[in-house]
C-alpha cells in the first residue's frame, strides 16, 4: 500500500510560479513510476509529467519548457516546479504512483487527494 499527499497548490497570477509536492508513505521502495496529473472543470484528467524510478522524465507538450518534475527518494517526495503559469493551467493537480509486482505479476495505482492550482489575475 502507498499513501500519497499533495501540497503546494494555491492561487497565483499569470506568469507566476508554484512548486507542488507529493509525499509518499507506505511501501515507497516498491514505486516504479510517479506522475503529476491535472483535471480542469468540465475536462478529463490529463497527464502533466512523469518520472520513473531511474529518473527518466517526460512532459506533456503544453508544459514542456515550463515545468520540471523531480523526486527526492530520501524524503519520499516528488515535486513539480511550474513556471510561467497560464490561466489554462488552472486545475486540481493529482499525484499518482504505480507499483509493479513480479510475484504475482500485477500492477497497482495509487492517487493522492489533489491540490487546487488557480491562475488568475
Amino acid at each position: 500500500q502507498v499513501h500519497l499527499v499533495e501540497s503546494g497548490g494555491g492561487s497565483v497570477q499569470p506568469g507566476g510560479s508554484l512548486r507542488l509536492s507529493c509525499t509518499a508513505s507506505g511501501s515507497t521502495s516498491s514505486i516504479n513510476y510517479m506522475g503529476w496529473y491535472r483535471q480542469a472543470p468540465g475536462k478529463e484528467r490529463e497527464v502533466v509529467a512523469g518520472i520513473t524510478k531511474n529518473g527518466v522524465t517526460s512532459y506533456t507538450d503544453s508544459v514542456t519548457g515550463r515545468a520540471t518534475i523531480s523526486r527526492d527518494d530520501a524524503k519520499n517526495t516528488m515535486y513539480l516546479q511550474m513556471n510561467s503559469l497560464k490561466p489554462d493551467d488552472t486545475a486540481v493537480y493529482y499525484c499518482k504512483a504505480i507499483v509493479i509486482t513480479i510475484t504475482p505479476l500485477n500492477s497497482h495505482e495509487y492517487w493522492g487527494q489533489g491540490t487546487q492550482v488557480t491562475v488568475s489575475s
Side-chain angles (χ1 to χ4, degrees), residues 11-74:
S11 295
V12 63
Q13 292 187 340
S17 299
L18 278 176
R19 188 177 81 156
L20 306 181
S21 300
C22 172
T23 300
S25 60
S27 301
T28 58
S29 61
S30 302
I31 296 174
N32 299 94
Y33 161 90
M34 295 187 76
W36 286 98
Y37 295 72
R38 65 186 179 187
Q39 187 165 19
K43 295 187 178 181
E44 293 186 356
R45 190 172 298 187
E46 63 173 359
V47 63
V48 177
I51 185 166
T52 69
K53 189 171 187 176
N54 295 327
V56 178
T57 61
S58 182
Y59 302 89
T60 192
D61 287 346
S62 63
V63 305
T64 297
R66 301 189 296 121
T68 302
I69 188 171
S70 61
R71 56 193 288 177
D72 184 338
D73 290 338

Side-chain angles (χ1 to χ4, degrees), residues 91-106:
V92 178
Y93 284 69
Y94 300 90
C95 70
K96 171 181 168 180
I98 295 178
V99 171
I100 299 174
T101 60
I102 300 301
T103 308
L105 184 59
N106 207 341

